[in-house]
Amino acid sequence: MRKYTPKDNVQRQAYFSDRFFVSPPVPRFPIDSDEIFSKDFEEINYSINVQEAYIEHTHLVIVIDKSFLISCVKLLKEKLEYDMLMELSAIDYLAARDGYEIFYEFLSLSKHKRLRVKCFLQKDESIESLTSLFKSANWSEREMYDMLGVKVIKHPNLKRIIMPDDWYDHPLRKTYPLQGDEAASWYEVDKIFGKEARDIIGPEQRDPAAIDRYDTTRFARLGHEVPHGMDISQFEPETSISYQEEDASKIMKKLKPEESVVLKRRR
């Protein structure tokens, strides 16, 4: 059996054993190294105050203030031929900077280039929706609001898209418990059966890897079939373990020659 390691405060622990290890940064290149990006940046910087710009992973990355977002996206779509919004989301920097980093990924089919727009949003601020320019922003902005709590104004239908409407908190925040909070463990029981059934059913097991070998109401053990709900905490009936592979030769003898050939091919 695998040795159990405590999961307390696991998010703050390093995933490597070398305490002197420093993760190498992703290399950034100057904009002048790409002719197309250089021309696009000149056009963007002429109309919008760009805080930072560089090429990373063959993408042009520009950092702007959130107040210039709509005008920047209009310029990208209508003049610079970045005609597809591929992705948008946010990164949780609530602990370090008390806000979110919002990023938008655009694709130009004519230039075969990708451009990323980034801006920073304080915790209590909101950002304007891009649904008027790109319909694909509709569900992505709803997911960003649902999972991270980023408020989007001028959205046609800003409501949760994954979690229930009355769900507390936002699951992709770094402060959200990995296995859910107490309300999450009782949510389905309360909704379906009512709070009075808590003592009968018990809290929801939110660890997908957890298996109780003595729980005969939810799990069956191979080779140890027991009646539903039987208490096997003290003993377990001994039964012989048999697999289908052991009887494969008997099955092949009963089949017709043409059927056995087909079965062999499938195996």
Side-chain angles (χ1 to χ4, degrees), residues 75-87:
L75 177 64
L76 293 176
K77 180 181 180 181
E78 298 172 359
K79 193 170 184 179
L80 298 181
E81 299 178 357
Y82 287 91
D83 38 19
M84 293 189 70
L85 173 62
M86 304 302 296
E87 185 181 1

Side-chain angles (χ1 to χ4, degrees), residues 58-114:
T58 68
H59 294 193
L60 173 59
V61 182
I62 60 173
V63 183
I64 63 173
D65 188 85
K66 71 180 187 67
S67 58
F68 296 111
L69 177 63
I70 299 299
S71 56
C72 178
V73 175
K74 279 186 178 179
L75 177 64
L76 293 176
K77 180 181 180 181
E78 298 172 359
K79 193 170 184 179
L80 298 181
E81 299 178 357
Y82 287 91
D83 38 19
M84 293 189 70
L85 173 62
M86 304 302 296
E87 185 181 1
L88 72 90
S89 189
I91 302 173
D92 178 358
Y93 286 111
L94 292 172
R97 302 168 60 187
D98 197 32
Y100 305 93
E101 184 180 83
I102 317 294
F103 64 90
Y104 302 85
E105 186 80 18
F106 297 93
L107 170 66
S108 173
L109 296 176
S110 58
K111 300 177 182 179
H112 304 284
K113 293 290 185 180
R114 291 179 181 266

Side-chain angles (χ1 to χ4, degrees), residues 2 4-5 7 178-180 184-185 203-212 218-219:
R2 182 177 59 184
Y4 176 77
T5 55
K7 303 299 189 298
L178 291 177
Q179 299 298 339
S185 62
E204 179 185 352
Q205 176 56 258
R206 302 192 64 81
D207 185 359
I211 297 178
D212 184 2
R218 302 183 187 180
F219 301 101

Side-chain angles (χ1 to χ4, degrees), residues 188-237:
E188 292 190 357
V189 176
D190 294 347
K191 280 289 183 181
I192 300 173
F193 303 100
K195 291 186 178 181
E196 60 274 8
R198 285 189 175 189
D199 295 336
I200 303 173
I201 301 175
E204 179 185 352
Q205 176 56 258
R206 302 192 64 81
D207 185 359
I211 297 178
D212 184 2
R213 61 171 296 192
Y214 299 110
D215 185 0
T216 58
T217 60
R218 302 183 187 180
F219 301 101
R221 299 196 61 210
L222 180 63
H224 296 278
E225 300 299 333
V226 296
H228 177 78
M230 180 180 179
D231 183 13
I232 58 172
S233 57
Q234 300 299 325
F235 67 93
E236 207 167 356

Side-chain angles (χ1 to χ4, degrees), residues 158-173:
L158 189 64
K159 56 183 293 188
R160 289 187 181 271
I161 192 171
I162 299 176
M163 308 304 293
D165 292 335
D166 57 347
W167 193 265
Y168 174 75
D169 211 350
H170 306 278
L172 283 187
R173 284 184 176 178

Side-chain angles (χ1 to χ4, degrees), residues 81-146:
E81 299 178 357
Y82 287 91
D83 38 19
M84 293 189 70
L85 173 62
M86 304 302 296
E87 185 181 1
L88 72 90
S89 189
I91 302 173
D92 178 358
Y93 286 111
L94 292 172
R97 302 168 60 187
D98 197 32
Y100 305 93
E101 184 180 83
I102 317 294
F103 64 90
Y104 302 85
E105 186 80 18
F106 297 93
L107 170 66
S108 173
L109 296 176
S110 58
K111 300 177 182 179
H112 304 284
K113 293 290 185 180
R114 291 179 181 266
L115 184 146
R116 183 179 303 140
V117 178
K118 297 166 64 173
C119 59
F120 190 79
L121 183 70
Q122 292 294 332
K123 178 181 178 181
D124 298 326
E125 294 180 343
S126 58
I127 197 162
E128 193 168 346
S129 173
L130 296 186
T131 52
S132 59
L133 297 171
F134 292 96
K135 298 298 183 182
S136 59
N138 191 327
W139 282 29
S140 298
E141 288 175 345
R142 285 180 60 184
E143 183 183 21
M144 183 170 63
Y145 164 72
D146 187 5

